[in-house]
Amino acid sequence: MTKQTFIKGAMILLAAGIINRLLGFVPRIALPRIIGAEGVGLYQLSYPFLTVMLTIITGGIPLAVAKWIAEAESQGDSARVKQIFKAAMGLVTTLGIGMTALLLLFAPWITTHVLPDERVYRTFVAMTPMLLIIAVSSVYRGYFQGKQNMLPSAISQITETVIRIIASLTFAYLLLPRGLEWASAGAMLGAVVGEIGGFTVLLWRYMRDKRESGLAEKSTANTKATPALRRLLSLSIPVTGSRLVGSLSYLLESIFTARSLAAAGIATGIATAQYGALQGMIIPLLLLPTALTYSLSVSLVPSLSEAAAKGDRALIHKRLHQSMRLSLVFGAPFVVVMLLFAEPICRILYNNADIAPMLQLIAPIGLFIYLQGPLQAALQALDKPGTALVNTFFGAAVKLVLIVQLASDPKFGIYGALIAINVNIVLVTLLHAISVLRFIGFRMKLLDFVKVIAAMFIMGAAARFTMNQEPLSAEWINLIIACAASAIVYLLLMIWMKFIDRYDMIRIPLLRRWFK
């Protein structure tokens, strides 16, 4: 099995993440045109509950698998690798089957009494097979990530995305004549088919690697999994708690938002459409750069775990600084573009310029989202998941209180929920940063932020100037030209200010030969 360096592994996941994000916008753009914002709202209302169930089933298990396998690999302990994998797979399979049965049994009650729109029932039922599929897939991903081989995860993600796009749009279109509820369920069924495709890739790659290392597997066949299970739970339970807070917060956010909008005098159908626009159209735009931050976070956990096991504090600081700096540099241009061109972006992508103010309001908070991923990964890799749990819980509590207070006020409506989400993002990121500073003394240099913010202002001026020239008649072409021209200005500024240099380019596999 091929082991990659931290940067190379992150770049592999980044390439897959970028492809997935770009492909993912095909259904984001096409699905609202097929089933409308209200249909997207029904589709999105199922996901918070799915997230909660998946958190209970998998929680911190994939992270624990990656962390302990990375440590076992660094010590050459192949027996412990097998222990960890078997224990994790047995646990998630048992939980996955049990939770799926419970979800199917209580689906009528949940969609009637818990979720804010009972029309979500068919979508909810169509969603349930994903619990077991995603749970099992997550253990395989943790296994490969622990061995610092990010290629299987990357290939499976792309496979899942391609299949999901084709299946979701096809099923939604075919079922639309039967009504909006059926079309939404069809889109969800397509997501299930996509997950099956991604899982198939992971299983094939695992079986191939197992055959290649068959000799080593036989030598450890009688190893007991009980000690490994206890060790897995010791890390995964606090991480599960932290993620469960986030997942429950997401579920309660959807419920509280709908109830609060109803209290503000907004009809159920309109409230569902507004929530669908926020979670199905605006938030995905904001999360585009997380293709990088996610890849960095995934690669960061085994890398920091290995460094911590060796007591290499300097390497811990180096890896974390690389992650934070790349997240900042990569995410900043997206913030500028979304803030300045929210209206044309929403008009071109969704044929709906009315939702542009939501994008403008949340865009500046993007920088905090992009920095939050590496910070949380660092806390988990350094055996501080309890701290991440407390930070996440505090931010979630503040968010839910603000949603009830603001979204129920007719003056704010959906924008009240958006303000609450913004406050939550900023608060949790700052708490994570303070925690990392306290535990390992790591902090970003103030000058780094000054350089990036200055480059953002200059880039914004260049983008606005280019867009105002209207070189061509088509708005979408002018937008692309403005974005490309301003991105070049931004990159040149980063190089001029020595924020990125030739050595950063050498670390990127595809660019290495050009900058040696």
Side-chain angles (χ1 to χ4, degrees), residues 9-197:
M11 289 304 111
I12 289 172
L13 289 177
L14 171 59
I18 291 174
I19 293 170
N20 282 339
R21 291 292 194 277
L22 294 175
L23 289 174
F25 266 92
V26 174
R28 298 286 182 192
I29 296 168
L31 198 58
R33 295 171 188 265
I34 296 173
I35 63 177
E38 192 173 349
V40 172
L42 292 175
Y43 179 80
Q44 289 294 143
L45 282 174
S46 299
Y47 266 106
F49 213 95
L50 174 67
T51 305
V52 171
M53 293 296 101
L54 283 174
T55 303
I56 294 172
I57 296 169
T58 61
I61 290 176
L63 173 72
V65 169
K67 177 179 170 59
W68 298 136
I69 285 181
E71 290 187 5
E73 286 282 302
S74 69
Q75 298 164 4
D77 191 346
S78 59
R80 191 146 55 98
V81 170
K82 186 178 179 181
Q83 285 179 1
I84 294 163
F85 180 81
K86 287 178 65 177
M89 188 59 74
L91 182 60
V92 301
T93 302
T94 303
L95 290 174
I97 293 171
M99 287 294 181
T100 301
L102 287 174
L103 219 56
L104 287 171
L105 181 63
F106 290 102
W109 185 86
I110 292 170
T111 53
T112 304
H113 295 90
V114 178
L115 297 180
D117 194 327
E118 62 183 18
R119 293 177 297 167
V120 79
Y121 172 76
R122 289 184 176 85
T123 307
F124 190 88
V125 171
M127 170 196 79
T128 53
M130 282 200 283
L131 288 177
L132 182 59
I133 301 166
I134 295 176
V136 173
S137 296
S138 70
V139 177
Y140 283 113
R141 288 195 172 97
Y143 170 82
F144 287 117
Q145 288 160 8
K147 288 180 170 285
Q148 298 186 50
N149 180 12
M150 307 301 169
L151 200 57
S153 295
I155 295 172
S156 71
Q157 287 171 19
I158 295 172
T159 303
E160 181 272 323
T161 301
V162 171
I163 295 175
R164 173 170 51 84
I165 290 170
I166 296 171
S168 291
L169 295 179
T170 301
F171 293 154
Y173 178 78
L174 292 175
L175 292 174
L176 183 59
R178 303 190 65 175
L180 208 57
E181 302 161 54
W182 281 97
S184 176
M188 186 62 75
L189 186 61
V192 174
V193 175
E195 291 294 344
I196 293 172

Side-chain angles (χ1 to χ4, degrees), residues 253 283 286-287 362 364-372 395-396 398-399 418-432:
E253 174 192 315
I283 298 295
L286 186 72
L287 296 181
I362 201 172
I365 307 303
L367 283 180
F368 290 90
I369 293 181
Y370 312 146
L371 294 174
Q372 188 179 121
V398 172
K399 177 181 70 173
L418 198 52
I419 292 169
I421 292 170
N422 286 355
V423 171
N424 165 257
I425 293 166
V426 173
L427 184 59
V428 173
T429 303
L430 292 177
L431 289 174
H432 283 351

Side-chain angles (χ1 to χ4, degrees), residues 127-407:
M127 170 196 79
T128 53
M130 282 200 283
L131 288 177
L132 182 59
I133 301 166
I134 295 176
V136 173
S137 296
S138 70
V139 177
Y140 283 113
R141 288 195 172 97
Y143 170 82
F144 287 117
Q145 288 160 8
K147 288 180 170 285
Q148 298 186 50
N149 180 12
M150 307 301 169
L151 200 57
S153 295
I155 295 172
S156 71
Q157 287 171 19
I158 295 172
T159 303
E160 181 272 323
T161 301
V162 171
I163 295 175
R164 173 170 51 84
I165 290 170
I166 296 171
S168 291
L169 295 179
T170 301
F171 293 154
Y173 178 78
L174 292 175
L175 292 174
L176 183 59
R178 303 190 65 175
L180 208 57
E181 302 161 54
W182 281 97
S184 176
M188 186 62 75
L189 186 61
V192 174
V193 175
E195 291 294 344
I196 293 172
F199 165 71
T200 303
V201 171
L202 289 169
L203 180 61
W204 170 78
R205 187 56 190 263
Y206 174 77
M207 296 305 295
R208 176 183 164 185
D209 289 335
K210 189 175 180 181
R211 284 195 301 271
E212 291 174 357
S213 58
L215 207 56
E217 294 285 349
K218 290 176 184 176
S219 65
T220 60
N222 297 321
T223 309
K224 294 183 179 179
T226 305
L229 180 60
R230 283 199 297 265
R231 196 172 185 204
L232 274 172
L233 292 175
S234 70
L235 176 64
S236 64
I237 288 176
V239 175
T240 299
S242 179
R243 292 184 175 175
L244 190 58
V245 168
S247 301
L248 285 172
S249 166
Y250 183 32
L251 174 61
L252 294 175
E253 174 192 315
S254 66
I255 297 170
F256 284 18
T257 299
R259 308 289 188 202
S260 298
L261 291 175
I266 299 172
T268 301
I270 297 174
T272 300
Q274 288 183 343
Y275 182 77
L278 175 60
Q279 291 293 341
M281 302 179 194
I282 299 302
I283 298 295
L285 278 173
L286 186 72
L287 296 181
L288 263 176
T290 58
L292 173 69
T293 57
Y294 169 77
S295 64
L296 289 171
S297 299
V298 169
S299 297
L300 195 61
V301 171
S303 180
L304 289 188
S305 299
E306 189 174 0
K310 296 176 180 177
D312 193 342
R313 191 181 183 89
L315 184 58
I316 292 173
H317 278 245
K318 178 183 176 182
R319 291 286 183 254
L320 188 51
H321 184 263
Q322 285 176 330
S323 301
M324 297 288 286
R325 191 174 55 143
L326 284 171
S327 298
L328 190 61
V329 170
F330 189 76
F334 285 87
V335 170
V336 173
V337 169
M338 287 186 290
L339 186 60
L340 290 180
F341 303 129
E343 187 172 327
I345 287 172
C346 292
R347 182 164 48 245
I348 293 166
L349 291 181
Y350 305 125
N351 195 29
N352 187 354
D354 294 338
I355 63 176
M358 286 196 282
L359 182 58
Q360 286 179 318
L361 182 59
I362 201 172
I365 307 303
L367 283 180
F368 290 90
I369 293 181
Y370 312 146
L371 294 174
Q372 188 179 121
L375 287 170
Q376 181 152 331
L379 289 174
Q380 292 166 347
L382 297 170
D383 289 330
K384 302 296 181 183
T387 302
L389 168 60
V390 173
N391 295 345
T392 305
F393 178 80
F394 185 71
V398 172
K399 177 181 70 173
L400 294 175
V401 170
L402 287 176
I403 286 176
V404 173
Q405 293 293 319
L406 299 177

Side-chain angles (χ1 to χ4, degrees), residues 418-491:
L418 198 52
I419 292 169
I421 292 170
N422 286 355
V423 171
N424 165 257
I425 293 166
V426 173
L427 184 59
V428 173
T429 303
L430 292 177
L431 289 174
H432 283 351
I434 292 169
S435 300
V436 171
L437 172 65
R438 183 158 54 93
F439 290 129
I440 61 172
F442 174 83
R443 70 177 80 194
M444 287 285 288
K445 297 175 183 177
L446 180 61
L447 186 60
D448 289 345
F449 290 101
V450 172
K451 287 179 178 179
V452 172
I453 291 171
M456 288 171 68
F457 274 103
I458 298 171
M459 175 192 171
R464 177 61 70 186
F465 174 80
T466 307
M467 191 69 173
N468 288 342
Q469 302 309 304
E470 298 183 355
L472 298 171
S473 57
E475 185 180 41
W476 68 273
I477 298 178
N478 290 333
L479 180 61
I480 291 174
I481 292 172
C483 292
S486 59
I488 292 171
V489 170
Y490 176 81
L491 181 60

